[in-house]
Amino acid sequence: MRPVRIGVQLAPQRASYADIRRAAAEVEALGADILFTWDHFLPLGKVADGKHFEGWSILGAWAEQTSRIELGVLVSCNSYRNPDLLADMARTVDHISGGRVVFGIGAGFKEREFLEYGYEFPSAGRRVAELAAALPRISARLAVLNPSPVRKLPILIAGGGEQKMLRVVARHADIWNTFAEGEDFARKTALLDQYCAELGRNPLEIERSVHVGGDPRLSGPELLDAGATLFTLSTSGPDYNLDTARQWITWRDSQN
């Protein structure tokens, strides 16, 4: 069985970079397994204005700042960058970090930021199809870059669409990330297993990642029984409260 792992996503919003840097250092010191940022251009939530920073630039800085923790963008929007360029960016940050990058990618969903930055906002079906087409390009580019990544980059794909996205996950992902919980998570993970079987792939090759909060003793065991092993908490600036992360890290240690 996979070990339980804890991810912490520091949303790069409503904070100075000094606040973000301090929180990143604290997350690593707490013993979390993965430190995530995100790939948005504007703050999320009811107030869509305020301080905000770009995710991949932050990831490069974290690669220099940290020494142990894995790093990733949860997740890069496929539509925002040429797939070959994105592969090169990830490979470069992987070298800066000494081989700690988790390559997170998804189809994107925030119409406002697409339009604000001059990108076309296609249908959800087309965005997923473009992601499916981009992933082989990313793999091909990673294979020819000189130097190659320090390690085989784990591909994390986020999304829960049961007819299209989970098929992309089954074919390409090392980690599947979802907001699903309870019966919804159990149904989706069973469907992912089915799609893996259709491809002749062992479903155990794909780590299951979920977003969590609150008391881990209440939701953790059920999610763990359903197959989740990577549990990610998100916190925003300016305060970056890590109290819940501490609880989940303690719970992780009791499980491992």
Side-chain angles (χ1 to χ4, degrees):
M1 182 177 176
R2 291 179 182 272
V4 174
R5 301 202 296 161
I6 302 298
V8 178
Q9 183 184 53
L10 300 179
Q13 61 179 6
R14 305 188 180 96
S16 68
Y17 187 71
D19 294 327
I20 296 170
R21 192 180 195 283
R22 171 192 54 76
E26 188 171 357
V27 169
E28 183 170 47
L30 286 174
D33 297 284
I34 308 180
L35 174 61
F36 290 113
T37 183
W38 70 24
D39 192 21
H40 293 289
F41 300 140
L42 303 163
L44 300 187
K46 294 180 179 179
V47 180
D49 297 307
K51 294 177 180 177
H52 196 275
F53 293 98
E54 193 276 324
W56 272 99
S57 302
I58 284 175
L59 206 68
W62 285 352
E64 284 283 4
Q65 174 190 344
T66 60
S67 61
R68 175 199 59 80
I69 197 166
E70 289 190 312
L71 306 167
V73 178
L74 190 63
V75 287
S76 299
C77 175
N78 175 64
S79 300
Y80 295 162
R81 300 166 192 86
N82 172 286
D84 294 83
L85 170 62
L86 184 59
D88 202 344
M89 292 167 60
R91 180 281 310 251
T92 299
V93 178
D94 191 52
H95 274 267
I96 296 170
S97 70
R100 294 181 285 127
V101 164
V102 174
F103 194 128
I105 193 167
F109 67 96
K110 291 294 289 184
E111 181 177 11
R112 180 190 173 193
E113 62 189 27
F114 272 74
L115 301 180
E116 182 85 12
Y117 275 62
Y119 295 102
E120 179 187 0
F121 185 66
S123 67
R126 183 175 149 198
R127 295 197 307 276
V128 173
E130 290 175 350
L131 172 63
L135 285 160
R137 285 182 59 184
I138 289 168
S139 295
R141 179 57 55 188
L142 289 171
V144 299
L145 286 169
N146 184 9
S148 59
V150 176
R151 63 171 179 174
K152 181 184 181 300
L153 296 184
I155 303 297
L156 181 156
I157 300 177
E162 296 184 4
Q163 298 304 313
K164 296 180 179 179
M165 180 61 88
L166 287 182
R167 293 182 187 275
V168 176
V169 172
R171 184 174 296 277
H172 297 285
D174 300 296
I175 307 169
W176 168 52
N177 179 261
T178 177
F179 281 96
E181 55 188 1
E183 293 182 0
D184 188 32
F185 175 73
R187 185 185 66 257
K188 289 179 187 294
T189 199
L191 190 58
L192 178 57
D193 289 351
Q194 176 187 322
Y195 292 152
C196 286
E198 291 173 3
L199 292 169
R201 185 178 184 193
N202 183 351
L204 296 179
E205 293 177 2
I206 302 176
E207 185 174 17
R208 317 300 163 100
S209 167
V210 293
H211 292 264
V212 293
D215 189 336
R217 295 171 297 180
L218 299 179
S219 59
E222 180 183 5
L223 288 165
L224 190 60
D225 288 344
T229 57
L230 174 55
F231 301 86
T232 297
L233 305 97
S234 183
T235 181
S236 290
D239 298 328
Y240 291 112
N241 188 322
L242 297 174
D243 290 346
T244 303
R246 290 185 180 90
Q247 294 180 46
W248 280 86
I249 290 168
T250 299
W251 177 78
R252 174 203 65 189
D253 293 344
S254 72
Q255 299 302 310
N256 292 341

